[in-house]
Amino acid sequence: MDSPKPVGPRRELKSRNTAWARALARLACASGITPNAISVMSIAFAAGAFVCFWLAPDMKTAGGASLLWVAAAVCIQLRLLCNLLDGMVAVEGGKASPTGPIYNEAPDRVADVLILVGAGYSTNVEPGVIKLFGELPLGWACAVLAMGTAYIRLLQGTLTTQQSFMGPMAKQHRMAVLTLGTLAAAGQQFFDAEVAGPQIQGLLIALVVIFVGAIVTCLRRLNLIARQLHAK
């Protein structure tokens, strides 16, 4: 879980200091691609995940469904790779632009919605309902809460000039949980071709964890803002 200590507007990522990330950032800089273009590419990968999630439940073979879920997991990770590289190319590569802050935030919101809503439909119970707290379309609920965590972070920046990326369900945490759930669904489908729909537990469990964790994250971030304002 993240420390509640407020940080600047850039998310702290340990992966930025890895050799492979620096090598990829150098390649991206040498290619001439702009940070803003990399940010937009994250939407393309999120859309790819959405399509894979959408199609997987209707596949005629267990192997086909499993392959699509694995592809969805790969697209999720490629989306995160774009999120890593755009900042590195902008800051470390010296290619930051005046519109960079817009591209840093707006594509993320679109990507979150595409991925989480797609995962909800992939459980094969959307647009029906999941009996969690009443009648709740879980993928859409997770997408709304993901938007909420980002909104509260930016609200903190407006009110205090600091932003906290604390969890337990910040972006990288949501995508890690969903990736694991997607791979679990792929494995369950591949090794047990008889299961389908709500019997695919990996995605359902991942979405429930994201849902509950995002509520906690919103409350923690709001509490931090309140404490900062009182401290003034």
Side-chain angles (χ1 to χ4, degrees):
M1 186 180 296
D2 295 79
S3 167
K5 181 180 178 181
V7 298
R10 193 184 188 201
R11 189 186 304 269
E12 294 183 2
L13 297 174
K14 294 181 180 179
S15 52
R16 285 198 190 100
N17 298 320
T18 59
W20 64 265
R22 291 195 296 268
L24 283 177
R26 286 194 296 270
L27 286 174
C29 289
S31 72
I33 191 170
T34 66
N36 293 351
I38 298 174
S39 298
V40 172
M41 284 174 58
S42 69
I43 298 179
F45 288 122
F50 178 90
V51 171
C52 291
F53 278 132
W54 183 278
L55 295 177
D58 295 326
M59 295 300 292
K60 302 301 183 183
T61 65
S66 297
L67 183 62
L68 282 176
W69 274 317
V70 170
V74 171
C75 285
I76 291 172
Q77 292 304 306
L78 290 174
R79 174 262 174 119
L80 291 178
L81 182 60
C82 289
N83 294 159
L84 171 68
L85 291 178
D86 60 359
M88 294 185 71
V89 172
V91 178
E92 284 84 349
K95 292 189 175 184
S97 73
T99 57
I102 297 175
Y103 283 88
N104 191 50
E105 290 292 338
D108 262 352
R109 308 292 74 81
V110 177
D112 273 335
V113 171
L114 285 171
I115 291 171
L116 292 168
V117 170
Y121 283 112
S122 201
T123 62
N124 214 21
V125 294
E126 302 262 19
V129 294
I130 297 176
K131 299 292 185 179
L132 182 60
F133 300 115
E135 295 186 346
L136 183 68
L138 194 53
W140 282 100
C142 289
V144 170
L145 286 168
M147 298 277 282
T149 62
Y151 167 77
I152 294 169
R153 171 175 56 81
L154 293 172
L155 176 64
Q156 181 192 16
T158 300
L159 296 176
T160 69
T161 71
Q162 296 176 312
Q163 295 184 33
S164 173
F165 295 89
M166 69 166 63
M169 209 50 66
K171 177 179 66 179
Q172 71 272 27
H173 306 139
R174 293 192 298 268
M175 294 301 102
V177 169
L178 189 57
T179 298
L180 290 175
T182 303
L183 292 175
Q188 183 183 7
Q189 181 73 89
F190 184 78
F191 290 107
D192 189 356
E194 299 300 319
V195 301
Q199 293 175 285
I200 301 293
Q201 296 296 320
L203 279 171
L204 284 173
I205 293 172
L207 287 171
V208 170
V209 170
I210 291 170
F211 178 84
V212 176
I215 291 175
V216 174
T217 301
C218 288
L219 292 175
R220 291 189 72 215
R221 291 184 181 185
L222 285 171
N223 180 62
L224 176 60
I225 296 173
R227 287 191 282 114
Q228 288 178 311
L229 294 176
H230 279 299
K232 286 185 176 182

